[in-house]
Amino acid sequence: MQMNELRIRAGQATASGHRVDLLPGVLWFILADIIVFFMIFADFMMRRAGQLAVFDQSAATLNVPLGVLNTLILMTSGLFVVFAVNAAKAGDRGTTRRWLLLSFVVGAGFAVTKGLEYSSKLGQGITMYTNDFYMYYFTLTGAHFLHFIGGMVTLAVLWFLVGRQQINGRLLNVIEAGALYWHMVDLLWIFLFPMLYLLGAR
Amino acid sequence: MTHTSSRLATMVWLFLVLATLGSSWLAGHHSFAGEWTAVFVMLVAYAKARAIMLYFMDLRAAELPWRLSFEAWGLASAAVIIALWLQAANA
């Protein structure tokens, strides 16, 4: 398949010479990754249908306000990454770094909240072996958390890179690719949160 | 190239925040919309996911196959969750 066919306009605008455009590769990765999550969504919902009472009672023990807070954290951090990309497109390194840093700091709140949630559950003796609901809860949020860690590392690396060099077409492409990945972390949570926390409401 | 301006992104973010707070409130006040609450909550989630894909990820400016692939993922995710929820609720 021709790379050109895959290249999205954002990549084309920044393409110069024969350098490799990272965006198609990142989009392929994201698509493959979220399709795996889609299959687990379906698996969760089918398992739920067989154990409705267990799933709904267990879901009712989750902390909805913390889940809402985590949603707001990821969306806000995502907004700051959009600002960072726009600053990078304008060639403004200082502003790009500031938004990347803010995105990282706000995003770090997700780890704090998730840590509180996990420790609360584990403190009550609830683990992934408690029942099928918690197995999915810990597996899905745990897999998502690993993606989150990857995103935080990406933001830190971008912040470091922008501090070291001028923003050229190559670096902008790297920033856009990292930003796409960070938005995926947000995107997955947008489905995970209502499916795990809110569907059991009666 | 069209890309999401910071102003537009802020408007999208405002929608995301209001939709999150609104749908979470609704989920906690189930009597308000009855058995359709879960369906509504997932439809709001779909709208939020779509907003993130089209504006934050800039997929509205992407070539059609990319956009369609992601749109199909969002639609399929919401549809599967809603359909299996309804099936379980009416079983």
Side-chain angles (χ1 to χ4, degrees), chain A:
Chain A
M1 198 179 288
Q2 294 269 317
M3 281 300 278
N4 285 344
E5 292 171 18
L6 304 175
R7 188 170 285 161
I8 69 168
R9 276 185 227 156
Q12 282 175 332
T14 60
S16 60
H18 296 288
R19 66 177 183 75
V20 177
D21 181 4
L22 296 174
L23 299 188
V26 171
L27 284 176
W28 272 120
F29 170 80
I30 292 174
L31 202 54
D33 207 27
I34 63 178
I35 286 172
V36 172
F37 270 90
F38 162 77
M39 291 190 279
I40 308 176
F41 295 163
D43 188 40
F44 170 86
M45 292 303 295
M46 285 189 281
R47 191 67 63 94
R48 175 182 180 272
Q51 308 177 42
L52 212 48
V54 170
F55 272 54
D56 284 355
Q57 282 161 17
S58 304
T61 68
L62 298 185
N63 191 323
V64 173
L66 285 186
V68 170
L69 180 62
N70 266 348
T71 311
L72 298 177
I73 284 172
L74 289 184
M75 293 183 320
T76 305
S77 182
L79 174 71
F80 292 167
V81 161
V82 174
F83 290 167
V85 170
N86 284 347
K89 281 176 179 164
D92 186 341
R93 288 170 71 197
T95 308
T96 304
R97 286 192 100 203
R98 266 195 295 281
W99 285 122
L100 285 171
L101 182 63
L102 267 174
S103 180
F104 183 93
V105 170
V106 172
F110 184 89
V112 175
T113 311
K114 213 83 215 98
L116 286 175
E117 272 196 88
Y118 281 155
S119 59
S120 160
K121 286 284 164 286
L122 296 174
Q124 294 165 36
I126 296 171
T127 68
M128 66 189 302
Y129 301 111
T130 301
N131 64 33
D132 279 353
F133 175 84
Y134 290 114
M135 190 274 287
Y136 281 99
Y137 166 75
F138 281 107
T139 306
L140 276 165
T141 58
H144 178 263
F145 194 76
L146 291 178
H147 286 71
F148 161 82
I149 296 291
M152 291 296 278
V153 170
T154 303
L155 290 176
V157 168
L158 291 178
W159 179 83
F160 178 74
L161 287 177
V162 176
R164 271 174 59 107
Q165 60 183 93
Q166 294 294 329
I167 298 174
N168 53 20
R170 172 72 188 158
L171 182 55
L172 178 59
N173 192 235
V174 172
I175 295 170
E176 287 181 312
L180 274 179
Y181 178 86
W182 186 239
H183 291 311
M184 176 193 70
V185 176
D186 190 3
L187 184 62
L188 287 172
W189 185 254
I190 292 294
F191 277 114
L192 280 176
F193 165 61
M195 189 181 81
L196 292 171
Y197 291 66
L198 303 181
L199 283 191
R202 297 244 152 223

Side-chain angles (χ1 to χ4, degrees), chain B residues 69-91:
Chain B
S69 302
F70 279 85
E71 291 262 23
W73 174 82
L75 205 56
S77 296
V80 159
I81 294 170
I82 289 172
L84 289 170
W85 188 89
L86 285 173
Q87 190 189 33
N90 297 314

